[in-house]
Amino acid sequence: MQDIENDVRCLIAEVLEKDQAEIKPDSRFIEDLGMDSLKALEILVAVEKKFKITIPEQKLSELKTLVDTVNVAKEFLAAKEKANAG
Amino acid sequence: MGYPRVVITGLGVVSPNSGVGKEAFSRAISAGVSGIRKISLFDTAPYKVKTAGEVKDFDPQAVLGRGGLRVLDRGTKLLCCAVKTALEDARINISEENSRTIGIAAGNTLGSLQSICDFDKVALSEGPQYVNPSLFPNTVINAQVSQASIRFKIKGFNVTISNGFSAGLDALIYAANFIRLGRKKIILAGGVEEFCEQTFIGFYKAGFLSEAKEGKPELSCPFDQRRNGAVLGEGAAVLVLEELDSALQRGARIFAELKGGGTFFDGSRIDKYKRGGRGLAFAMRLSLEKASLSPQGIDYLSCGANSTAEGDELEARAVREVFGKSPRMPAASCLKSMLGESFSAAGALQSAAAVCAIEKQIVPPTLNYQEKDPLCDVALVTEKADSRRVDNVLINAFGPGGSNTSVVISKFTI
């Protein structure tokens, strides 16, 4: 699960043009890291692509920090694994 | 009271033969440095054509800094570099106070075909849900000028002129008219095109490009008997056009004056030059009239000839119609022999070269000229630059679709 956090941090750092060290678990995307709506969508797509999952756009408003994003990614990864197992 | 005069107070150039910067460009065109070489941006193995005028080792980060470049395409970066260096050359700082008084107009027709293709490629190969939304803005034709406008906080207006080969010159005329009508004091005007495999394929399949065949070389050799097509190029040039009083009030360096321009559309087919050249002759006459000059007042004719059989012949006919036969013709030169055919950027690059030529009092050479074509009798300066008095330059841009534009740029005198 640590790998997921690292992967997501790496994606966010790339989109926001920040060093990975600047992406703290609870840094707020908009207020602390200067994210805009287009970059938020880009992060959502990048996470979907990385983990081959589909995250509904309604979830976008929940992605406010690294922790939030990792949790959403885990939620949909778990759903995917469950579906594959079933 | 007449219309305000429009002067040129800054230049920004990104060119295949000199990279970024006005001084390097001025030196390169004076020395006749070619920017045409083997294509490096993509593999040319499937094609017979191997050369183009690429801006080699283009490093936008060195000019623009690291931030905000990640999702911009090549054309946008070319234009942004030209805008930044033009503003620096003009010593203009854009602030909250003046941002609404400054506008930008640039020619661009091909947009970024590469960006459109890359975007669609992801949608088709990986699925539409995986396209990067931040890359979508690159797929529209006004992306490059809009992105430059956003980056440099140019709030007066931003306009993309998208009418083909003459768009760079048409952007200058559009901008100059805005200033003459008193709507803006300063406008950055010019053109940009990027070179990419997608546009290359289009021109290649249309048979527009020069290639080694039938004993003729793959070469940009305008007006030469051996010519057999254009060599593609790319680049960006931005001229800072300014109302004379504004320039004088802020103590700007005035490099030249944009005296007039004329356009004429005589298209009948999108892919065929109209051989008579009457449309271009009309555009030249109109620009001379606007500049209050007779044909004999022109010291340097910057030709739009691009080494295509029909296009060069068209221009030679038009020049003969306006200037008469040889002794009365002005010294002529074809920048595309050095840079290739950069479409909507070409007229802007020629205009930048005109300003440099006035500053240095030279006519740059036309490269690769060896065999005279009796149908293309123009007074070409070849091999090396000709040092001579250059007060007035007439610049031509025209295309097979029927757009014809001419502009006069002159030495500034108060």
Side-chain angles (χ1 to χ4, degrees), chain A residues 14-19 38-39 41-42 45 48-49 52-54, chain B residues 66-71 122 126 129-135 137:
Chain A
E14 191 188 333
V15 172
L16 298 180
E17 298 185 44
K18 304 279 185 193
D19 290 332
L38 197 56
K39 285 176 179 163
L41 270 171
E42 191 179 350
V45 172
E48 287 184 319
K49 202 167 172 175
K52 299 285 178 248
I53 54 178
T54 301
Chain B
R66 189 175 152 223
L69 299 182
R70 188 178 54 91
V71 293
V122 172
E126 299 178 49
Q129 72 270 33
Y130 292 136
V131 296
N132 182 344
S134 290
L135 297 180

Side-chain angles (χ1 to χ4, degrees), chain B residues 250-262:
Chain B
R250 70 179 186 90
R253 297 177 299 170
I254 298 175
F255 300 117
E257 178 171 3
L258 198 160
K259 279 205 170 161

Side-chain angles (χ1 to χ4, degrees), chain B residues 22 74 126 141 145 151 283 297:
Chain B
K22 164 190 166 185
R74 185 175 176 86
E126 299 178 49
I141 200 74
V145 185
R151 188 175 187 93

Side-chain angles (χ1 to χ4, degrees), chain B residues 7-12 22 82-93 102 186-188 238-242 246-247 250-255:
Chain B
V7 292
I8 297 161
T9 56
L11 272 191
K22 164 190 166 185
V83 167
K84 181 162 192 278
T85 50
L87 288 169
E88 285 168 358
D89 192 42
R91 297 169 183 166
I92 292 172
N93 288 314
I102 300 171
I186 297 172
I187 301 174
L188 288 89
V238 168
L239 288 77
V240 178
L241 302 188
E242 188 163 358
S246 161
R250 70 179 186 90
R253 297 177 299 170
I254 298 175
F255 300 117

Side-chain angles (χ1 to χ4, degrees), chain A residues 30-83:
Chain A
I30 296 171
E31 296 85 347
D32 302 330
L33 299 171
M35 185 161 78
D36 58 31
S37 57
L38 197 56
K39 285 176 179 163
L41 270 171
E42 191 179 350
I43 288 171
L44 183 81
V45 172
V47 170
E48 287 184 319
K49 202 167 172 175
K50 177 77 187 172
F51 301 110
K52 299 285 178 248
I53 54 178
T54 301
I55 303 170
E57 275 189 30
Q58 299 90 297
K59 283 278 179 186
L60 196 61
S61 59
E62 292 179 24
L63 308 184
K64 290 176 178 162
T65 64
L66 171 63
V67 169
D68 297 338
T69 312
V70 170
N71 286 339
V72 168
K74 285 177 184 171
E75 178 188 339
F76 284 88
L77 264 173
K80 180 180 146 186
E81 280 164 17
K82 195 174 167 188

Side-chain angles (χ1 to χ4, degrees), chain B residues 14 55 178 233 244 293 370:
Chain B
V14 189
V55 179
F178 247 72
L244 175 59
L293 284 170
Q370 280 181 13

Side-chain angles (χ1 to χ4, degrees), chain B residues 135-151:
Chain B
L135 297 180
F136 177 65
N138 293 342
T139 66
V140 296
I141 200 74
N142 63 327
Q144 298 165 348
V145 185
S146 295
Q147 292 280 19
S149 188
I150 291 165
R151 188 175 187 93

